[in-house]
Amino acid sequence: MAEPLIVALPKGRLTDDALAYLERAGYGLPTKGDNGRKLVLEGSDGRLRFIMAKPADVPIFVEYGAADLGIVGLDVVREAARDVYEPLSLPFGRCRLVVAGRADRPDRPLRLERSPRIATKFPRLTEAFFRARGLAPELIVMSGSVELAPLVGLADLIVDLVQTGSTLRENGLTELRVILESQAMLIANRASYRLRAGEVRGLIDALARATAD
Amino acid sequence: MPDISFSADRPLPEGVRDLLFADAAAWRDMEAALRRTWAAWGYGEIILPTFEYAHTLATDVGSALDAEMYRFFDRHGRTLALRPDLTIPTARVVGTRLYDQPLPLRIAYAGSVFRYEPPRAGRQHEFTQVGVELIGAGGQAADAEVVALAVAALRAVGLPEFKITLGHVGFFRGLLAALNLPERLAADVRAAVDRKAEAELAALLAEAANLPPLARRAVLDLPQLTGDASVLTRAETTCLNTTMMAALAELRGVARLLEGYGVADAVSYDLAEVRDLDYYTGVTFEGFAPGLGFAVISGGRYDDLIGHFGPPLPAVGWALTLDRVLLAAELQGRRTPEPTADVLLAAHGCPACLAWANEARGRGLRVVLDLEGLDAPALWAQAQARGIPRAVRHDDAVLQVQDAAGVRSLALTDQEEVLRWLNR
């Protein structure tokens, strides 16, 4: 039996959909009952091995070839800016990366801000977005509850992921700009794409068919 | 144990490292294997300076490297830079000094290069490139020689498994010309092809409203045009103009020659490889090894570079990153033992022993002298601690040899036994 292909999956809101589509594409999933603690799981048919990683780490596993493939949001892929292939977009995990501010902020264009203080978990994309518009943002990099920052005067604006927008509304925030429309992506290591071309191509095509149905 | 104190306040600058004995030995073994290989193919080594004027190294052809150069000033305030690769200095030497020599020139080099780039996969800011350049020869025969030499080099250093992926910039350039997209869209298409982003390509083409169906098909097929030599047949229907056809014909010619070289099994094809599109002018290739996510070798044809320094000459070559090849070989199970000596010799007060050591060394035996006058048990303990298989002391006119099997006598003149030690 050949070595299984290694797929890095993000722990969290994309996990179930990612596994469901891989199953629909005909791949054996890890057997149930591992109570979510194991970080490396074997697929039941021996064709795939799964690495359960923090979403932000998935592109790193894939770039280094520790995983041949990965499934993760486009937002994470762009923020990580790692050298990986992106052969497939997957029809789940849809959300958008937005600039948001207090609903009661004065209504004027962002470009007239002096040097906005922005709380975010996406420093690279935030920096690039504001720099491209001629602004010098002051970034406050946070690891949770970014919505809190404008409410307590820590930041003028936030850049964060939004699915329905209800969290923003509940916290008295409003969406100002969309930076990126995101959805789940299949990413691939550049070496694996060549060295295991047949198996990688097989998985891309099978997933493409599974998502087209 | 004595009280060991060590100083932690002598940090290394970011981007450099030391290689200790076993690593250094593996390193030099690989370098030696590469030297033997290029010499067997008729390539001659040149040794290049570590720094040059920054404007010499920062040609607009290799502009991607420009931002990564280490720059500093000489005492007259002129800007110098550490070489970020060895191809540009080689091009300078050819363009300014060797242009009227019999062509083609076959040049090889090995040395450190310096780049501000994040350390990844065995590569620090300082890393070692070993490479060859075939200058003054265009065409398939030259391309094939260089690719075949790349395979030979990776085999010579003992990398069991690897794959060279061959492409041609003319294929994608021809496609872009045929599409005639607005500049912005063309750049997006190129970026999407670079990431093999098939869905994104489809979305981008939706923006190009009046694209002929054949051209649309060609772009969407592109990410699939990767694999074994059958790709070169499949790609025929994708060709939209003579540029694409010429690129494909050239690759097919190279593929045929590579079969003759007996390296076809180590080569695959990728017509959607668009990296360094602005630097290369013909075939391009990268080499990958299992377990290492990054290319260990890369190269291609760059007919526009030499002309920056002298009369224009066609050129093709490659450079491998020795640091990464070593790492890749280790990932595939290669182990280099700690280098050690064959004999620990107690020569204290025995001039004849020194003569014996000289003779043994002349025959290739690695002999380490005990400088302290250790007694027999201490000498053997010392040998074991250093991984040396035998300890030798003099006892009147004979030598007492101790090894794992025990102690026995050896005549001072008995070099037959020494030869046996060598062969083991």
Side-chain angles (χ1 to χ4, degrees):
Chain A
M1 185 81 204
E3 277 285 295
L5 277 180
I6 301 176
V7 183
L9 293 181
K11 285 190 287 187
R13 64 187 176 89
L14 297 185
T15 318
D16 292 344
D17 281 328
L19 286 170
Y21 276 106
L22 283 170
E23 183 169 40
R24 204 181 297 173
Y27 288 88
L29 300 188
T31 40
K32 296 262 189 306
D34 278 321
N35 67 28
R37 288 207 192 150
K38 271 186 147 172
L39 299 175
V40 180
L41 304 167
E42 302 292 335
S44 59
D45 58 2
R47 292 161 72 201
L48 298 182
R49 176 177 296 151
F50 301 91
I51 297 178
M52 306 307 291
K54 265 184 77 166
D57 295 341
V58 169
I60 302 173
F61 279 102
V62 174
E63 185 191 34
Y64 274 78
D68 300 302
L69 296 152
I71 291 177
V72 71
L74 179 64
D75 53 305
V76 173
V77 176
R78 287 287 171 273
E79 177 65 24
R82 296 281 171 168
D83 193 4
V84 295
Y85 286 150
E86 304 166 11
L88 207 57
S89 303
L90 302 170
F92 58 90
R94 287 186 207 279
C95 57
R96 52 195 187 277
L97 187 70
V98 303
V99 183
R102 291 170 63 128
D104 58 3
R105 75 188 289 280
D107 181 24
R108 60 169 181 179
L110 285 179
R111 67 192 142 78
L112 298 181
E113 295 287 333
R114 189 175 50 236
S115 176
R117 209 192 292 162
I118 306 162
T120 185
K121 291 182 238 177
F122 296 84
R124 186 195 299 266
L125 292 172
T126 303
E127 178 97 30
F129 179 83
F130 283 93
R131 291 269 172 207
R133 283 155 184 78
L135 288 172
E138 180 181 338
L139 296 189
I140 300 178
V141 183
M142 306 187 67
S143 46
S145 298
V146 172
E147 316 81 36
L148 198 56
L151 304 181
V152 297
L154 176 61
D156 309 319
L157 302 168
I158 64 168
V159 168
D160 205 10
L161 284 181
V162 173
Q163 268 174 299
T164 61
S166 58
T167 311
L168 287 186
R169 280 191 299 277
E170 279 163 26
N171 286 295
L173 299 174
T174 185
E175 212 175 297
L176 302 170
R177 286 285 185 296
V178 176
I179 295 182
L180 178 74
E181 298 277 0
S182 180
Q183 69 191 90
M185 307 284 298
L186 179 73
I187 58 176
N189 173 262
R190 297 186 73 228
S192 304
Y193 195 89
R194 272 64 182 269
L195 293 167
R196 308 191 64 177
E199 297 148 278
V200 168
R201 189 76 245 168
L203 189 140
I204 294 170
D205 290 343
L207 258 186
R209 279 193 302 275
T211 55
D213 293 346
Chain B
M1 282 290 281
D3 197 19
I4 295 172
S5 63
F6 64 94
S7 163
D9 61 359
R10 290 287 181 273
L12 271 179
E14 192 187 340
V16 295
R17 62 166 178 182
D18 314 305
L19 287 177
L20 302 186
F21 308 105
D23 287 336
W27 191 270
R28 294 301 181 205
D29 282 353
M30 284 191 161
E31 252 183 24
L34 289 165
R35 285 208 161 80
R36 283 194 299 275
T37 308
W38 80 45
W41 289 59
Y43 285 68
E45 180 172 9
I46 60 174
I47 296 179
L48 294 156
T50 306
F51 59 83
E52 302 197 27
Y53 287 121
H55 68 83
T56 304
L57 296 173
T59 64
D60 51 340
V61 184
S63 58
L65 287 177
D66 191 51
E68 296 179 348
M69 286 204 298
Y70 274 80
R71 288 185 168 79
F72 52 102
F73 298 114
D74 71 4
R75 64 170 74 186
H76 305 292
R78 289 173 296 211
T79 310
L80 303 173
L82 298 179
R83 59 192 185 197
D85 82 353
L86 287 157
T87 301
I88 296 168
T90 302
R92 172 187 59 74
V93 168
V94 171
T96 58
R97 303 181 61 189
L98 300 176
Y99 54 86
D100 61 349
Q101 296 299 299
L103 297 175
L105 292 161
R106 288 183 169 84
I107 296 177
Y109 55 73
S112 284
V113 300
F114 306 84
R115 294 181 195 172
Y116 279 112
E117 61 171 19
R120 275 178 194 178
R123 203 151 112 165
Q124 300 279 321
H125 289 182
E126 178 182 15
F127 59 93
T128 294
Q129 278 192 337
V130 179
V132 303
E133 317 287 354
L134 174 50
I135 294 167
Q140 299 160 15
D143 294 343
E145 170 171 321
V146 163
V147 174
L149 178 49
V151 175
L154 291 177
R155 285 182 179 158
V157 297
L159 194 63
E161 245 191 278
F162 62 87
K163 203 88 177 173
I164 303 270
T165 306
L166 199 55
H168 195 300
V169 294
F171 196 77
F172 186 69
R173 283 216 190 123
L175 179 57
L176 274 187
L179 294 175
N180 198 18
L181 298 170
E183 198 175 329
R184 179 77 176 271
L185 193 56
D188 287 347
V189 165
R190 177 179 164 180
V193 170
D194 187 27
R195 295 191 309 261
K196 310 245 184 257
E198 296 169 27
E200 195 180 325
L201 268 181
L204 285 171
L205 289 192
E207 286 179 40
N210 42 14
L211 209 57
L214 218 58
R216 189 176 299 271
R217 191 72 257 153
V219 179
L220 294 177
D221 282 349
L222 201 54
Q224 309 257 10
L225 292 180
T226 163
D228 60 22
S230 70
V231 164
L232 305 179
T233 315
R234 270 195 283 139
E236 264 171 54
T237 54
T238 306
C239 289
L240 300 173
N241 54 25
T242 50
T243 313
M244 294 178 81
M245 260 143 43
L248 201 55
E250 222 167 280
L251 274 180
R252 268 204 299 268
V254 173
R256 264 194 305 277
L257 289 168
L258 291 178
E259 277 188 31
Y261 276 108
V263 300
D265 58 321
V267 177
S268 67
Y269 296 85
D270 186 351
L271 293 170
E273 187 52 69
V274 299
R275 202 147 293 198
D276 299 321
L277 196 61
D278 304 317
Y279 176 72
Y280 288 118
T281 58
V283 298
T284 62
F285 54 94
E286 280 185 298
F288 294 95
L292 195 77
F294 300 80
V296 293
I297 188 169
S298 68
R301 174 163 289 286
Y302 55 97
D303 289 347
D304 295 340
L305 182 63
I306 310 284
H308 276 256
F309 301 99
L313 287 173
V316 58
W318 50 257
L320 60 79
T321 301
L322 197 59
D323 315 54
R324 279 192 183 159
V325 175
L326 183 64
L327 194 59
E330 279 172 6
L331 287 170
Q332 293 183 40
R334 178 195 167 118
R335 291 285 170 274
T336 310
E338 279 298 326
T340 182
D342 299 303
V343 172
L344 178 61
L345 173 68
H348 211 68
C350 172
C353 293
L354 296 178
W356 181 90
N358 274 346
E359 192 166 345
R361 285 169 178 156
R363 290 167 188 266
L365 204 70
R366 295 167 299 175
V367 180
V368 172
L369 292 187
D370 159 48
L371 304 174
E372 302 168 62
L374 296 175
D375 63 8
L379 189 71
W380 177 230
Q382 176 78 230
Q384 285 175 303
R386 292 163 176 260
I388 302 173
R390 59 189 69 79
V392 175
R393 326 177 50 244
H394 66 99
D395 189 6
D396 291 331
V398 295
L399 296 173
Q400 298 289 350
V401 180
Q402 181 162 14
D403 60 17
V407 184
R408 61 188 188 283
S409 299
L410 179 70
L412 256 171
T413 51
D414 188 358
Q415 291 284 334
E416 291 299 308
E417 174 76 13
V418 168
L419 287 182
R420 275 196 292 280
W421 293 350
L422 251 183
N423 295 334
R424 219 171 295 158

